[in-house]
Amino acid sequence: MTTRDVRKQREAEQRRKAIIKIVRKLIRKGGIGEISLRKVAEMAGYSTTVVYSLFEDKAMLITQAMDEDLLELTRVLDAAARAEADPVARLRAVGRAYVKFGLAHPDEYAFVFMQRRPHAPTNQARVQHGDPAQDPYAFARVLFQDLAQHGLVSSHPDDIDLMTQLFWEGLHGMTSRHLVMGADDEWFPSLPMDHHLEAMMDVLYHGLSHRFAPKAKR
């Protein structure tokens, strides 16, 4: 690669980052519906040709705008997991970290997990799909593989995926409910957050370990 090629590649990456920054700003302001390649190009000061040269379509643009949040979430979950040696304690620590991340970053969480959006092929994301170091779903799946290796749950691949998804859905339900309703909503009584979260961890782990017990224990 020549010096000119390196410079062109660096310039393209700077443009990509500038465009992504505009996309994230628009989404926080008005949601996914605010995004169009033409509007993004105008706000970033580039021609639509430049934007199309970096992003094939709106779906790819939005997918790559999510990358930063997915990577940060995975880093937070990994840090929580590394603090625990026991696989059950590790799962619970990750669950706590997930909910607390969502509540601490409401705009980012809502952007990634609470808005309908066009979906680009996974190979268009800069987050490596299926890599536990980058992909939060893949990271969570490893937790259940670890539980299976310790003989605590089924090791069947379909069961691993179903447990991972049920675990995630439980955490997401709690997180999104708190974000949407807020502490001042009087629709139903608000319980102490830590107590509520620990009860959730109990229900999720004991329910999953019972429903997906290793075959020898069924």
Side-chain angles (χ1 to χ4, degrees):
M1 184 178 292
T2 66
T3 302
R4 182 181 179 184
D5 291 335
V6 171
R7 185 175 67 253
K8 288 176 66 177
Q9 190 176 62
R10 186 183 302 117
E11 289 173 352
E13 180 62 15
Q14 289 172 346
R15 288 172 179 169
R16 191 193 72 82
K17 289 181 178 179
I19 291 167
I20 289 297
K21 186 175 181 179
I22 294 296
V23 172
R24 291 171 65 84
K25 180 179 179 179
L26 285 171
I27 290 172
R28 288 194 180 96
K29 182 179 179 180
I32 298 292
E34 288 289 311
I35 304 302
S36 72
L37 269 67
R38 185 176 298 278
K39 179 184 287 188
V40 169
E42 290 175 356
M43 292 187 66
Y46 299 126
S47 68
T48 53
T49 301
V50 168
V51 177
Y52 275 109
S53 72
L54 296 169
F55 305 94
E56 293 180 8
D57 52 25
K58 179 177 175 178
M60 183 177 179
L61 189 62
I62 292 171
T63 294
Q64 292 198 14
M66 292 167 42
D67 286 347
E68 181 181 331
D69 299 316
L70 290 173
L71 289 170
E72 179 60 22
L73 174 58
T74 305
R75 284 193 289 268
V76 168
L77 301 183
D78 181 63
R82 289 179 182 275
E84 301 289 348
D86 177 75
V88 177
R90 191 178 304 125
L91 183 74
R92 295 175 69 99
V94 166
R96 294 187 200 102
Y98 178 99
V99 174
K100 291 179 179 179
F101 176 88
L103 298 183
H105 303 85
D107 292 336
E108 292 83 354
Y109 188 87
F111 167 39
V112 177
F113 297 118
M114 296 173 65
Q115 294 196 56
R116 292 179 64 86
R117 62 180 184 273
H119 293 276
T122 55
N123 62 7
Q124 289 186 353
R126 292 169 74 89
V127 168
Q128 186 64 43
H129 180 253
D131 181 354
Q134 298 186 17
D135 177 347
Y137 178 81
F139 177 85
R141 195 178 190 280
V142 168
L143 299 176
F144 285 95
Q145 290 176 317
D146 194 24
L147 289 173
Q149 290 174 358
H150 282 80
L152 299 173
V153 296
S154 166
S155 61
H156 192 284
D158 289 347
D159 289 344
I160 296 291
D161 276 310
L162 187 49
M163 283 186 284
T164 305
Q165 291 170 30
L166 290 168
F167 180 66
W168 195 303
E169 289 159 1
L171 298 174
H172 171 69
M174 181 177 185
T175 306
S176 59
R177 196 272 288 179
H178 277 273
L179 291 180
V180 170
M181 298 183 73
D184 59 344
D185 195 304
E186 298 180 353
W187 187 257
F188 52 75
S190 179
L191 303 174
M193 184 62 191
D194 287 343
H195 176 73
H196 194 164
L197 184 51
E198 290 310 308
M200 171 69 82
M201 291 300 99
D202 285 341
V203 169
L204 288 175
Y205 174 68
H206 291 298
L208 291 171
S209 62
H210 174 75
R211 173 62 177 79
F212 297 97
K215 289 184 178 180
K217 295 183 180 181
R218 294 180 182 177

